[in-house]
Amino acid sequence: MDIGDLLLDRGLLSLPELELVRKQTNGKRVDQVAVEQGLLTEEQALRALGEELGMKFVELTDFPVDRELLSKFPTTAIFRHSLLPLRLVNGRVEVATSDPFDLEALDELSSLSGERLEPVLARREDLVRLIKEQLGVGGDTINELVAQRGEDLDADYLAEAARADSELAEMAQAASVIRLVNELLLEALAQQASDVHIEPGEKGLVVRYRIDGLLRVQPVPQEIHSFYRAIVTRLKIMARLNIAEKRLPQDGRIELKVAGREIDVRMSIIPMLHGEGIVLRILDKGRMVFNLASVGMPDVIKLPFYKLINMPHGIVLVTGPTGSGKSTTLYSALNEIKDPTLKIITVEDPVEYHMDGISQIHVHSKIGLTFAAGLRSILRHDPDVILIGEIRDHETAESAIQAALTGHLVFSTLHTNDAASAFTRLVDMGVEPYLCSSTVEGVVAQRLVRRLCTKCKVPFRPTDEDVPEDFPRPLPEQLFKPVGCRDCRETGYSGRIGIYELLHTSDAIRQLCIERASSTQIRHVALKEGMITLRQCGYMRVLDGVTSVDEVARITKGDLS
């Protein structure tokens, strides 16, 4: 069978396209190259081949796999060949494959299991995802480790207090354990997770990935708990931490290179009831773009913010909870104003992203290099712009104020829920109200909302019951809501975008600050002066079709304007 002629006869490829594909095969099949080049979809190619070969195509989304049947097949062969036994039909086991010509793999699985197989076709991405869902990430690696340890699965590492650290370290460096840890990290990158949580519990190990701000439990083999200590030790070795220390929290950093991309992993280990809990913060430097357009700042916020960051002196604050994108906004601001005529210095804990043309200092509290100490020193370096990673205490706040008073532009972050609270937080830290009012030029509060998946979002005509009371009236003709598809892993959302609240320090707000007014009073005046709230900015994104009403309501709960 000539696959090219088959695709041509079925109208899936034109003659010029087929001739072009045949010149670029390089040992690959015509259909594979055509799919890679986007000339047809994998499903179209598989359906055409299936009809010719008498093999049916199956849709694996929400497919009910027979778990009892699956347990009869060797895990290693399933992972190695990407074959998944689905169900028993007329005495034969239906096995999903994405390659109808890989007969050797089917023969191997048949001989290992002793079952008669009936191959059916499915998209490779769906197949790999379902295998991981059914058998867990690293299922084949766990299988190898179990085989290496023999039948002694009761000897849980958590109970082996007497095991020598050197022996544990030796096992952590074993090829299988290294591969298992790599698989956990690679799967997190594939799912674009921002954090990996590895949590030991009474009933076993739980692995969760934070994707688009929400945690999702990641399927892993049950036996992985037996190798938990080896996994922890391997991660400690990668982060250059003390593998013998199991009683105190430790922080470290792992630098990886994956497919040419630089990945920075910040690791935190805390001893818990059932063992050491690990959180890995993943910073994918290759995917970061630092400009105010990419962070999603609308023009109504961006234009006044741009004026703020181009002021000759003063303090510009960005506030919000952990993981709300504050650092990205500040880096984007620095990137906007970066110029050979300006000296920009940052003091961070830790330095998250390296930027050309900017001097960056990493805080080391243990040796006395705190934010405040770093600030005092860098003022002698004649900077024009200073970025302080975070104002945490009175000393840092005072140093930032002094830097602003002596003619420097200072950027920093604060942990407050809205923009108005930044003034009261600084006063609570011990900053004199008159200093606070004269130096803080503006405050941006921000959150991240999930973007609607562009592949599956659907329009609907909203009614008063569909939107909150404060949603802009009159209601638009259409809004969009999430559905869920293969591309967004059935969530209806893919990626995140920022929503913002910008408070410009007017004379009235400066006076309120001097009078030690509450954040509620400051917010009330700012709203009168035209401040757009987080919720209102979120509604702009809803009207643009970028996110949903429910998502904005979830993120800005309690922020009724």
Side-chain angles (χ1 to χ4, degrees):
M1 176 177 70
D2 188 295
I3 298 173
D5 290 342
L6 172 67
L7 298 176
L8 184 66
D9 291 343
R10 291 177 180 268
L12 296 173
L13 289 180
S14 65
L15 191 57
E17 287 173 337
L18 178 58
E19 288 173 355
L20 181 68
V21 168
R22 279 179 167 156
K23 289 176 185 174
Q24 301 174 9
T25 50
N26 293 326
K28 292 183 179 179
R29 296 200 314 266
V30 168
D31 60 306
Q32 292 172 331
V33 177
V35 169
E36 284 174 8
Q37 294 187 354
L39 299 174
L40 73 163
T41 65
E42 185 185 10
E43 182 176 338
Q44 288 174 321
L46 288 174
R47 285 187 183 277
L49 290 171
E51 286 173 20
E52 187 70 19
L53 297 168
M55 298 165 69
K56 69 178 180 181
F57 179 88
V58 292
E59 181 63 66
L60 292 184
T61 308
D62 298 327
F63 194 95
V65 176
D66 186 337
R67 295 299 298 270
E68 191 177 336
L69 177 69
L70 184 59
S71 65
K72 298 177 182 177
F73 288 81
T75 308
T76 306
I78 289 172
F79 273 93
R80 186 167 64 243
H81 300 299
S82 293
L83 298 172
L84 182 61
L86 300 174
R87 60 188 174 188
L88 193 63
V89 179
N90 299 327
R92 287 175 175 262
V93 178
E94 279 192 352
V95 175
T97 178
S98 60
D99 187 351
F101 300 103
D102 192 0
L103 301 178
E104 285 183 17
L106 290 164
D107 287 343
E108 180 187 333
L109 192 64
S110 179
S111 62
L112 288 171
S113 64
E115 300 281 353
R116 296 171 66 200
L117 307 182
E118 180 72 36
V120 295
L121 301 178
R123 283 179 292 262
R124 180 170 180 79
E125 188 181 327
D126 292 353
L127 191 53
V128 170
R129 176 183 53 78
L130 194 55
I131 289 172
K132 286 176 181 174
E133 281 180 10
Q134 297 296 326
L135 299 174
V137 177
D140 56 334
T141 308
I142 288 290
N143 210 36
E144 281 182 33
L145 285 167
V146 171
Q148 287 167 17
R149 286 187 56 186
E151 301 301 316
D152 186 25
L153 275 178
D154 293 331
D156 194 314
Y157 281 132
L158 292 175
E160 291 179 18
R163 176 183 275 277
D165 284 317
S166 59
E167 191 180 339
L168 192 60
E170 193 178 320
M171 176 161 191
Q173 294 292 67
S176 298
V177 174
I178 291 172
R179 193 161 75 243
L180 177 60
V181 171
N182 289 348
E183 283 170 0
L184 289 170
L185 290 171
L186 288 170
E187 183 63 20
L189 285 169
Q191 295 191 34
Q192 297 184 5
S194 60
D195 301 84
V196 178
H197 293 241
I198 302 172
E199 304 158 331
E202 191 177 356
K203 296 181 179 177
L205 194 67
V206 177
V207 177
R208 297 193 288 174
Y209 292 163
R210 189 176 292 280
I211 302 167
D212 293 339
L214 296 178
L215 283 169
R216 295 186 205 165
V217 175
Q218 183 63 35
V220 290
Q222 188 124 20
E223 296 86 356
I224 196 171
H225 189 63
S226 300
F227 305 96
Y228 160 69
R229 286 266 310 272
I231 292 169
V232 173
T233 305
R234 169 61 189 162
L235 286 167
K236 283 182 179 179
I237 290 168
M238 290 172 76
R240 298 178 180 86
L241 297 179
N242 181 1
I243 64 170
E245 182 55 74
K246 300 176 180 66
R247 299 167 300 167
L248 294 173
Q250 292 190 75
D251 293 313
R253 188 172 183 167
I254 302 169
E255 292 180 350
L256 304 172
K257 206 156 193 177
V258 179
R261 296 187 349 243
E262 284 188 18
I263 310 295
D264 200 13
V265 181
R266 295 212 308 261
M267 185 165 91
S268 175
I269 298 182
I270 298 178
M272 294 182 179
L273 188 61
H274 299 286
E276 292 171 284
I278 301 174
V279 175
L280 305 169
R281 166 65 61 88
I282 298 173
L283 302 170
D284 190 345
K285 297 177 183 178
R287 289 179 53 222
M288 295 307 300
V289 180
F290 295 115
N291 61 62
L292 295 179
S294 69
V295 299
M297 197 174 274
D299 287 343
V300 70
I301 303 282
K302 185 168 65 177
L303 297 177
F305 182 64
Y306 194 77
K307 287 180 184 176
L308 275 179
I309 63 176
N310 279 282
M311 295 187 76
H313 54 77
I315 297 176
V316 178
L317 295 171
V318 179
T319 76
T322 305
S324 59
K326 299 187 297 295
S327 297
T328 304
T329 298
L330 284 177
Y331 276 115
S332 299
L334 289 182
N335 221 23
E336 291 282 345
I337 63 172
K338 188 172 68 173
D339 187 89
T341 62
L342 288 178
K343 170 88 169 185
I344 302 174
I345 304 182
T346 75
V347 192
E348 303 167 72
D349 181 21
V351 174
E352 291 188 3
Y353 301 101
H354 303 283
M355 295 184 74
D356 293 330
I358 293 174
S359 306
Q360 295 173 281
I361 300 170
H362 184 101
V363 167
H364 284 285
S365 301
K366 289 179 183 175
I367 58 170
L369 181 53
T370 60
F371 280 118
L375 260 175
R376 285 194 297 272
S377 300
I378 65 176
L379 287 176
R380 302 188 197 107
H381 268 242
D382 187 30
D384 298 291
V385 181
I386 300 167
L387 167 64
I388 306 169
E390 185 185 344
I391 295 179
R392 295 176 180 171
D393 51 39
H394 170 72
E395 195 180 4
T396 309
E398 282 286 350
S399 301
I401 295 282
Q402 290 305 317
L405 287 172
T406 52
H408 303 89
L409 180 61
V410 179
F411 294 155
S412 191
T413 68
L414 265 181
H415 284 289
T416 63
N417 289 328
D418 61 10
S421 300
F423 296 94
T424 52
R425 177 61 57 85
L426 287 173
V427 172
D428 289 344
M429 283 181 183
V431 176
E432 288 296 334
Y434 73 91
L435 289 175
C436 182
S437 70
S438 61
T439 53
V440 177
E441 298 295 338
V443 185
V444 176
Q446 73 176 78
R447 300 286 188 280
L448 294 176
V449 295
R450 292 181 294 169
R451 289 175 180 264
L452 284 167
C453 174
T454 54
K455 301 283 177 66
C456 67
K457 68 178 183 180
V458 295
F460 73 100
R461 189 184 182 93
T463 63
D464 286 332
E465 288 76 31
D466 297 321
V467 296
E469 293 175 7
D470 62 335
F471 194 85
R473 262 62 172 190
L475 294 179
E477 287 293 315
Q478 75 169 26
L479 295 176
F480 289 87
K481 61 183 177 182
V483 176
C485 66
R486 187 186 313 109
D487 290 296
C488 62
R489 294 178 178 266
E490 306 301 326
T491 61
Y493 298 93
S494 180
R496 289 189 291 175
I497 191 169
I499 57 172
Y500 302 87
E501 173 179 288
L502 174 60
L503 189 157
H504 197 284
T505 314
S506 65
D507 291 340
I509 288 171
R510 290 188 201 280
Q511 187 59 39
L512 285 173
C513 186
I514 291 171
E515 294 169 1
R516 293 178 181 264
S518 68
S519 59
T520 307
Q521 291 172 288
I522 293 173
R523 180 180 175 81
H524 185 65
V525 170
L527 288 170
K528 273 188 174 179
E529 293 177 347
M531 180 181 79
I532 293 169
T533 67
L534 285 166
R535 199 171 178 93
Q536 288 167 344
C537 184
Y539 288 154
M540 290 178 190
R541 291 293 174 214
V542 173
L543 293 169
D544 293 339
V546 176
T547 189
S548 68
V549 176
D550 291 343
E551 179 66 5
V552 172
R554 179 180 73 85
I555 293 294
T556 61
K557 203 175 288 182
D559 181 36
L560 290 169
S561 54

